[in-house]
């Protein structure tokens, strides 16, 4: 679990809780699991303010391309018209697997 003062704490904990509820444990989680979750979180965050216009492809694309610092599981998402991927330089925490648990890397 992330530190309580981590700006992504609430998002990560909510994701882990929902995953455990759906799957019984975190054992089946893979490297792709947070990527899929982030895609859904990002899309929901940018689509919500659009209301019915979220179904308009151009409106949704424009909202995605203007989004900045949308909190996710892996870090903060931000797109632009020329960059449809986040570098996660803001919010990334390196971890390592030690004795059956993920802990912050030293």
């Amino acid at each position: 679990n992330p530190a309580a003062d981590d700006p992504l704490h609430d998002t990560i904990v909510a994701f882990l809780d929902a995953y455990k509820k759906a799957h019984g444990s975190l054992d089946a989680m893979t490297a792709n699991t947070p990527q899929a979750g982030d895609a859904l979180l990002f899309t929901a965050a940018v689509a919500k303010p659009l209301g019915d216009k979220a179904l308009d492809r151009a409106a949704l694309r424009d909202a995605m391309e203007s989004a900045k610092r949308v909190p996710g599981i892996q870090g903060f998402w931000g797109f632009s018209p020329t960059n449809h991927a986040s570098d996660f330089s803001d919010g990334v925490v390196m971890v390592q697997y030690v004795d059956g648990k993920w802990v912050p890397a030293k």
Side-chain angles (χ1 to χ4, degrees):
N1 282 329
D5 62 347
D6 185 317
L8 298 173
H9 176 273
D10 293 346
T11 304
I12 295 169
V13 169
F15 174 77
L16 292 174
D17 289 347
Y19 190 92
K20 283 184 211 173
K21 183 177 179 183
H23 299 280
S25 75
L26 299 177
D27 294 343
M29 192 176 287
T30 70
N32 292 328
T33 304
Q35 292 173 357
D38 272 350
L40 293 169
L41 289 169
F42 179 76
T43 303
V46 299
K48 186 174 182 176
L50 296 176
D52 290 342
K53 289 196 81 163
L55 299 175
D56 178 305
R57 291 176 64 159
L60 183 58
R61 182 203 59 233
D62 290 347
M64 287 179 164
E65 289 179 345
S66 65
K68 304 289 182 250
R69 285 188 52 82
V70 176
I73 300 161
Q74 302 172 88
F76 291 95
W77 285 88
F79 285 6
S80 75
T82 59
N83 183 3
H84 286 186
S86 184
D87 66 7
F88 298 123
S89 60
D90 182 15
V92 169
V93 175
M94 296 301 293
V95 295
Q96 60 189 28
Y97 198 67
V98 177
D99 298 326
K101 294 181 182 178
W102 289 104
V103 297
K106 295 180 181 182

